[in-house]
Amino acid sequence: MDPELRKHFTTRISQLNSELQHSNGKLIFLVSQCSTLSKQLYQAVALKTNLSHELETARESIHQLQDQMTTLSSGYEGQLSAMSDHLCELRDKLAKTEEGFENPKKGRRKMK
């Protein structure tokens, strides 16, 4: 075989081997990167699931607290209304009692 031809093919084979090694290095890097990204995606999905669960739990708690607040508020409003009515009745009774005390005094003054 011709030495020049042999040199040419040897050089070409060497270039191809170098390109193959470079491509293999890129492949290993890309596979590693894909693996890392896959793990990150899995973790992100798990985190999203956990956060969604926490959000739903928080929404339920808010709803329960709003229900409790509505119940307490209506209960206190009812009690306040009842106490106001009771105080009005007591004031009326007191006014009538005071009138009863005033009237006999007036009657006694007239008799004297």
Side-chain angles (χ1 to χ4, degrees):
M1 187 180 242
D2 187 22
E4 278 188 38
L5 190 60
R6 186 177 186 152
K7 182 180 176 184
H8 170 72
F9 283 118
T10 305
T11 304
R12 185 66 182 141
I13 289 173
S14 178
Q15 287 173 345
L16 290 174
N17 278 332
S18 176
E19 288 177 16
L20 179 63
Q21 288 175 354
H22 182 70
S23 295
N24 282 340
K26 281 185 177 181
L27 174 67
I28 290 170
F29 173 75
L30 291 174
V31 167
S32 172
Q33 216 176 14
C34 286
S35 176
T36 301
L37 290 173
S38 175
K39 288 176 186 177
Q40 288 176 352
L41 178 63
Y42 177 77
Q43 290 172 348
V45 168
L47 179 62
K48 179 186 173 202
T49 303
N50 288 339
L51 291 175
S52 294
H53 179 69
E54 288 179 20
L55 179 62
E56 185 60 33
T57 303
R59 284 183 179 157
E60 289 174 6
S61 294
I62 288 171
H63 184 68
Q64 288 175 353
L65 289 172
Q66 287 174 336
D67 287 346
Q68 288 176 357
M69 185 178 73
T70 302
T71 302
L72 286 173
S73 178
S74 65
Y76 285 142
E77 286 175 10
Q79 289 178 355
L80 182 60
S81 177
M83 290 299 293
S84 296
D85 291 344
H86 182 66
L87 286 174
C88 287
E89 290 174 13
L90 288 176
R91 185 177 46 187
D92 290 342
K93 285 181 183 179
L94 182 60
K96 287 178 184 178
T97 304
E98 286 177 356
E99 284 178 14
F101 288 137
E102 295 282 324
N103 287 339
K105 289 179 183 177
K106 289 180 183 177
R108 288 184 191 157
R109 288 184 191 160
K110 290 180 183 177
M111 290 184 185
K112 289 185 181 181

